[in-house]
Amino acid sequence: MHRYSTNRVTNGDMDGLISVFSLHEATGVPTLLTVVPTGGKVPRDMILTADGTLCLVANQNSDNISSFSVNAETGELTHLHTTAAEILSPVSLLIVA
């Protein structure tokens, strides 16, 4: 099982990060696996699709949304696309089926 957390880097022009954790099956203790750049600044929201294959991140200060594929076995995130800076300060995401 994997869990994801966005890290809002707010000093300077650094991009935000996504931390990827695995959870120990018996204890639930998290172990940091990797850290992935979000492709934008100040990630405010992150959402996974219901099937767990896609992760979207709203980057507030760079006015964009980034998408990542999710490897179900390893939890690895692979960057797919980041929109142009045309979405004014996105802070929340909702997937409508």
Side-chain angles (χ1 to χ4, degrees):
M1 180 181 304
H2 299 94
R3 294 291 183 253
Y4 305 89
S5 172
T6 58
N7 303 299
R8 296 181 193 138
V9 180
T10 58
N11 60 337
D13 288 329
M14 294 178 61
D15 282 354
L17 303 169
I18 303 170
S19 297
V20 181
F21 297 89
S22 66
L23 296 181
H24 188 276
E25 288 184 33
T27 65
V29 173
T31 300
L32 180 64
L33 298 177
T34 190
V35 178
V36 179
T38 66
K41 295 170 183 28
V42 186
R44 283 298 302 261
D45 194 18
M46 176 177 61
I47 192 168
L48 293 169
T49 56
D51 64 3
T53 61
L54 186 66
C55 174
L56 301 174
V57 180
N59 297 299
Q60 181 180 6
N61 287 10
S62 54
D63 302 328
N64 61 15
I65 296 174
S66 297
S67 61
F68 300 83
S69 64
V70 180
N71 181 309
E73 292 290 318
T74 66
E76 178 182 1
L77 298 177
T78 302
H79 181 257
L80 297 173
H81 180 73
T82 298
T83 64
E86 56 192 25
I87 302 167
L88 186 59
S89 297
V91 294
S92 184
L93 296 168
L94 174 66
I95 297 174
V96 179

